[in-house]
Amino acid sequence: MAHRRRGVGVGKKKATKSGNDTSSAAQALAKDLNEGDLEFVKRSLSSLESELTKFATQHADSIKTDPAFRSKFLKMCALLNIDPISSKQTLLGSALGIGDYYYEVAVKAAEVCMATRTKNGGVCSVEEVKRLLRKKGSSMTKVSTDDILLSISKLGVLGGGFRIVTLEKKPYVVSVPTVLSSDHTDVLTVAQSDETGEKGCFSISEIFNVKGWTEERAERAVETLVREGMAWVDEGGAGGKAKPQFWVWSVFFQQDDEDE
Amino acid sequence: MSDFEFPEYYSFPPFFTIQPVSATRQKQLALWRDLILKYHTANKEKTLVVHDCTLWKNEGIQRELNRDNVRLICEDFVNNGNGEWEDEAKTRIRIMWKKPEELAGDLLAWADRSGFKGQVCTLYELSSGEDSEGASFEGADEELIRRALAILEERGQVAIFKGDTSEEDGVKFF
């Protein structure tokens, strides 16, 4: 750091001294500085990376088994623009084998989403994915919400429609390629919201009240959600006399986040 | 009633409306089959009386199946081999707690486990005997056990002997 500060200070003095010479002098200085800086940065980065690797190796167990620790470690890596997950070639990646762990989470999360697809139409709350993964046992008993979010984001690269959709701050995994327009997610958000009727439920009139859409627009959005199996039709309200309501499986059965 | 624990989907209101979308409906019918089977097995009930089955209505969420939907679910249940109509008018279903093939496997495993291989026991002992306590076929419908045994007999894994009454028919496990 000391080297860098001195450099900047000198530069300022010179630049303010005289008028015409300034640009060429500044350029020379900038070149000088850049080279110095670059070398400095390179050195710091490589020492940082080796420190990080040392740290990671020392704490490999905690990183693998403690979700909170892992999450902090990954945040630290992200700040340094290092990706220990996808870079298996790097020392860090291979030392940790942390990438393997996320691949495993991704594959198992995909499995869980596929298995529940016919019920929820491919919309599954991350909480539910977590619960099901933990039930699978072995390496998954301590999987965290962050792990799943991260894994799904890696899965998304492969296509197949895997992505995270957030409804009222609750993350859901969408595992079908169906394109969800903002109208669709708006309707799902109405279902997610506690303020409007029961959780997991929406009706045409409710959408009208909340969003002010025309009946036609609401119906079109609802139709897609029903067709894709994301919403179930309920004609049994008020002894079968009420207008149909629609229920979203994954929102209805959403578990509150009990632990982390 | 027993301590049967209803699955969570039993409280999902649209579970009681037959779904218009085919894929969802298939899943829904499968869930109904599962529910009917588990409920009757847990309560050791052998017969479902169509017009008088508590499952059709969930007071807790004020939903119930209408008559057409009950009919649809029952037909689907029978068509899947989980039960059989007991009468022409289709008012009662004999519940196959397990399909005969599954039961046959259970019987064989049980005989192996409890040392009945090479021994003879009666049909009555199988369904109500002390040795079969806790077995999947304990208290099962006699007709169902017979069908499972017939499968095993065909495979040459058991022999069946006529007894004085049908309950005293003997079975020898090989």
Side-chain angles (χ1 to χ4, degrees), chain A residues 41-221:
Chain A
V41 169
K42 266 185 188 161
R43 234 185 310 125
S44 340
L45 266 184
S46 79
S47 84
L48 249 177
E49 197 169 352
S50 76
E51 283 300 312
L52 197 63
T53 310
K54 214 156 81 192
F55 175 84
T57 331
Q58 263 167 19
H59 298 276
D61 268 354
S62 308
I63 292 173
K64 273 184 209 161
T65 55
D66 181 351
F69 192 92
R70 181 167 56 242
S71 154
K72 280 189 187 136
F73 174 76
L74 288 177
K75 271 181 197 143
M76 197 162 78
C77 291
L79 281 176
L80 297 168
N81 214 6
I82 293 170
D83 183 357
I85 296 168
S86 38
S87 60
K88 242 193 139 177
Q89 280 83 0
T90 65
L91 201 53
L92 190 58
S94 54
L96 274 178
I98 196 172
D100 291 343
Y101 172 74
Y102 281 95
Y103 290 132
E104 198 185 344
V105 175
V107 170
K108 294 206 163 138
E111 239 172 54
V112 162
C113 291
M114 304 289 228
T116 56
R117 218 181 241 183
T118 41
K119 286 187 289 197
N120 57 34
V123 181
C124 192
S125 70
V126 170
E127 278 314 307
E128 178 69 359
V129 173
K130 186 170 83 180
R131 195 179 65 80
L132 293 170
L133 281 182
R134 288 189 171 182
K135 234 169 62 182
K136 280 186 172 232
S138 64
S139 54
M140 292 294 115
T141 48
K142 280 182 163 174
V143 70
S144 72
T145 305
D146 280 347
D147 291 345
I148 296 168
L149 292 176
L150 198 63
S151 303
I152 297 295
S153 73
K154 301 277 164 193
L155 263 185
V157 180
L158 298 175
F162 277 91
R163 61 205 187 275
I164 301 283
V165 169
T166 307
L167 307 172
E168 290 261 296
K169 291 182 194 153
K170 282 270 180 190
Y172 285 81
V173 182
V174 176
S175 62
V176 283
T178 315
V179 177
L180 290 179
S181 72
S182 61
D183 275 16
H184 300 140
T185 46
D186 279 354
V187 170
L188 291 174
T189 305
V190 172
Q192 172 71 51
S193 168
D194 274 330
E195 289 153 32
T196 53
E198 278 185 86
K199 189 151 214 170
C201 177
F202 60 86
S203 63
I204 300 286
S205 60
E206 204 177 291
I207 298 170
F208 175 79
N209 288 337
V210 179
K211 308 295 297 183
W213 295 353
T214 61
E215 205 164 290
E216 221 186 353
R217 183 173 172 191
E219 267 170 6
R220 213 166 38 229

